Amino acid sequence: MSKRWKTVVGLGLTLLLVAGVAWASEHGGGGHGDKIMNLVYRTINFILVVGIIYKLVGKRIGDFFSGRTRQIEAELKDLEERRAQAESRLKEVEAKIANLEKEREEILQAAKEQGEAVKAQIIEKAKKSAEQIKEQAKITAEQEAKAVFDQVKAELADKIVEAAEKMIQERLSGDIHKKLINEYLTKVVIN
């Protein structure tokens, strides 16, 4: 049926409904039979009104309620999926938190071990440095002792030479001195 015919049929039924209501209200008084007829007319009017409403908007109402039902079902399904995802994420987070404590302990242990290794390296390096310093001090002390010994030896040699010169000058006279110099010079020249 076209939309035009639906409109004509709808208006015709509405006109019948209004006429039925007017006719029913026209017979205001009466006896027991009027009450039954009044009830019959009202029932017919009600059925016609419901029929017209159903014919005009019944499909849309059905679509609305079935669409709303599908929408609610989809939302419930979506909410259930979200809840499952949230529970899954919660379990993951709880597992990470539990692993976080374990990781923290592992990191602390690794840092402690690394600290101990660095400490041992520093101590070893300090011992080597101390040994080198001791060795250097020993070498320096030996060199200084040798230098002092050489200096004392040189000074002693100078003093001995001076003392010997003094003794020789006191014991040797001028002629003997000249004779000794000439002998040594001849020996030096000959050699």
Side-chain angles (χ1 to χ4, degrees):
M1 232 193 226
S2 71
K3 192 171 186 175
R4 187 173 178 187
W5 281 104
K6 285 182 182 180
T7 306
V8 170
V9 170
L11 285 174
L13 288 175
T14 305
L15 187 59
L16 277 174
L17 177 67
V18 170
V21 169
W23 186 71
S25 63
E26 181 179 313
H27 298 10
H32 183 64
D34 287 338
K35 288 183 181 180
I36 292 177
M37 283 307 284
N38 188 14
L39 178 65
V40 169
Y41 289 132
R42 286 180 186 230
T43 305
I44 291 172
N45 281 336
F46 177 74
I47 292 171
L48 284 175
V49 168
V50 170
I52 291 170
I53 290 174
Y54 179 76
K55 190 68 174 169
L56 294 176
V57 292
K59 195 171 195 180
R60 284 188 236 159
I61 291 174
D63 290 345
F64 171 76
F65 285 118
S66 64
R68 182 69 180 141
T69 302
R70 283 191 298 269
Q71 181 183 3
I72 291 171
E73 288 173 353
E75 287 177 1
L76 286 174
K77 185 177 179 183
D78 183 50
L79 289 174
E80 185 63 31
E81 288 174 2
R82 284 176 155 181
R83 187 184 62 79
Q85 288 175 352
E87 287 177 356
S88 172
R89 291 177 100 193
L90 177 65
K91 287 179 183 177
E92 288 175 11
V93 168
E94 287 175 346
K96 284 182 181 180
I97 289 172
N99 287 338
L100 191 63
E101 183 66 27
K102 184 179 177 184
E103 286 179 28
R104 184 184 72 84
E105 290 298 324
E106 289 173 358
I107 290 170
L108 286 175
Q109 185 62 31
K112 195 180 223 182
E113 290 172 1
Q114 188 177 13
E116 290 295 325
V118 169
K119 178 182 171 184
Q121 288 176 347
I122 290 171
I123 291 172
E124 186 64 29
K125 190 174 181 180
K127 284 181 181 179
K128 286 181 181 178
S129 294
E131 278 298 315
Q132 288 176 347
I133 291 170
K134 283 181 185 178
E135 195 63 36
Q136 188 67 33
K138 183 178 175 184
I139 291 170
T140 303
E142 287 175 357
Q143 288 175 348
E144 287 180 8
K146 185 178 179 196
V148 169
F149 181 73
D150 288 344
Q151 184 182 1
V152 169
K153 188 176 170 183
E155 287 178 10
L156 189 58
D158 287 342
K159 296 229 184 219
I160 290 174
V161 169
E162 282 180 26
E165 281 179 2
K166 194 176 183 185
M167 266 184 12
I168 291 175
Q169 283 178 357
E170 287 176 0
R171 290 192 183 177
L172 292 179
S173 62
D175 292 334
I176 296 174
H177 189 248
K178 285 182 185 178
K179 184 179 174 187
L180 281 173
I181 291 175
N182 285 334
E183 269 182 37
Y184 282 115
L185 285 175
T186 15
K187 281 184 185 178
V188 170
V189 173
I190 295 175
N191 286 333

